[in-house]
Amino acid sequence: MTPAPLAARLRDPRGPLFFPVTAYGPDGSLDLDAYREHVRRGVAAGAAAVFACCGTGEFHALLPEEFEACVGAAVAAADGQVPVVAGAGYGTALAVRYARLAAAAGADGLLAMPPYLVVAGQEGLLRHYREVAAATELPVIVYQRDNAVFTPPTVVELARTEGVIGFKDGLGDLDLMQRIVSAVRTEAPGDFLYFNGLPTAEQTQLAYRAIGISLYSSAVFCFVPEIALAFHAALREGDRTTAERLLDGFYRPFVELRAQGRGYAVSLVKAGVRLRGLDVGEVRPPLHEPAEDHVKQLARLIERGYALLEENA
């Protein structure tokens, strides 16, 4: 575990938040050597934190023992240089189990993902995340998306919950997020963190920054870290020209390619990692691999993205 409190280390990140893919061998089993190398490369490239075994890392496809091994491998690869946050999800009992496995593996915090399948009311959601937060001493970031959508009063209660330090939005309703930020600011003032957690969050980050949300996840950092870093720096420095050049020339085309297949928010990223020379294997079902032509388009887009960086140099 890293020595400084997680919230302090995330509040003003030096670089993108890194969500590594999970590496598998040819037989579909975990490839922890490739996974450690993937994490090491991301940290060396300038990641501010590692979010292990979350959405991009196929949390849904991992057995508990595989999850614990991956989190431990990420902690070892990060080597205390940046914090490691682990996913936790499913129903309350399993989410608590995953939280405890993450703590045992040395994680610095948890990203608490939506419960499995059920659409719960606000009272049930609040109880669920409070039980996850109480299960360990790890600080918790609550992830809003799909079947876990919160009202502003519920997020106020989450912000008042011991151990809950932040809220990640994967829904994309900016009106709701503005009301959430306003409600917490006025009713539970403090250093509560907010994250843009939409797929390819760079594409929407200018809009999120306008309502005061500067933190965001970066899946493309997995395979084009220099592009992700350049965009992150442009936002920090107020260089809108560079940000818009990358949005127009790389991120928008990537999002349009990602929309060509279900599950491409994971499988296309994993294909990108392989294209850059690290064999992390294929995705596990029910996800599927991108079409061959889509992988070729991704390869051309990667080349275009790096050409944009050279033009901007």
Side-chain angles (χ1 to χ4, degrees):
M1 299 178 79
T2 49
L6 178 63
R9 301 202 71 179
L10 293 178
R11 189 168 291 113
D12 188 26
R14 67 184 190 190
L17 305 178
F18 174 32
F19 285 68
V21 300
T22 297
Y24 306 124
D27 63 353
S29 62
L30 286 182
D31 185 341
L32 290 178
D33 289 337
Y35 183 68
R36 280 187 287 266
E37 179 62 19
H38 182 41
V39 174
R40 278 195 294 266
R41 290 184 185 185
V43 173
V50 175
F51 282 68
C53 304
C54 297
T56 308
E58 296 180 76
F59 171 80
H60 68 276
L62 297 173
L63 294 169
E65 56 270 26
E66 293 177 320
F67 169 85
E68 185 175 16
C70 277
V71 175
V75 170
D79 194 27
Q81 298 176 70
V82 298
V84 175
V85 179
Y90 300 121
T92 306
L94 273 175
V96 164
R97 182 181 179 190
Y98 278 100
R100 290 172 176 161
L101 289 172
D108 296 284
L110 299 170
L111 178 63
M113 293 182 286
Y116 172 71
L117 192 61
V118 296
V119 179
Q122 296 297 296
E123 181 180 355
L125 287 172
L126 184 58
R127 180 181 174 187
H128 170 81
Y129 289 102
R130 281 180 165 169
E131 290 194 24
V132 173
T136 74
E137 295 183 357
L138 297 180
V140 174
I141 299 163
V142 174
Y143 193 1
Q144 167 171 267
R145 60 176 292 170
D146 301 327
N147 59 325
V149 178
F150 301 85
T151 63
T154 302
V155 182
V156 169
E157 292 305 313
L158 286 170
R160 291 171 174 164
T161 299
E162 184 176 358
V164 177
I165 65 165
F167 187 79
K168 181 181 178 183
D169 179 52
L171 184 65
D173 184 337
L174 287 178
D175 173 82
L176 174 60
M177 282 306 300
Q178 178 64 82
R179 289 185 287 116
I180 285 172
V181 170
S182 176
V184 173
R185 182 171 58 234
T186 56
E187 299 175 39
D191 294 327
F192 201 59
L193 302 177
Y194 297 95
F195 304 77
N196 172 5
L198 288 172
T200 317
E202 288 93 341
Q203 181 70 10
T204 54
Q205 188 52 27
L206 286 172
Y208 273 80
R209 283 181 71 87
I211 62 171
I213 299 175
S214 61
L215 301 171
Y216 63 92
S217 56
S218 180
V220 300
F221 183 86
C222 288
F223 64 95
V224 285
E226 296 88 353
I227 295 173
L229 283 162
F231 184 82
H232 187 270
L235 291 182
R236 287 175 60 91
E237 297 164 8
D239 181 0
R240 195 173 180 105
T241 299
T242 297
E244 290 180 348
R245 181 182 293 116
L246 292 173
L247 285 170
D248 296 344
F250 175 79
Y251 285 104
R252 178 173 57 83
F254 176 75
V255 167
E256 291 171 348
L257 179 58
R258 191 196 72 209
Q260 298 302 306
R262 288 188 177 273
Y264 273 19
V266 178
S267 62
L268 200 64
V269 169
K270 209 163 193 180
V273 177
R274 295 195 301 268
L275 284 170
R276 298 304 308 286
L278 182 61
D279 187 358
V280 289
E282 299 184 350
V283 291
R284 284 178 172 175
L287 297 178
H288 65 87
E289 287 298 299
E292 182 179 353
D293 183 59
H294 292 159
V295 176
K296 291 179 180 178
Q297 291 181 49
L298 178 60
R300 292 193 293 269
L301 182 55
I302 290 171
E303 291 180 4
R304 181 180 178 186
Y306 280 104
L308 288 170
L309 294 187
E310 292 181 6
E311 291 173 10
N312 200 51

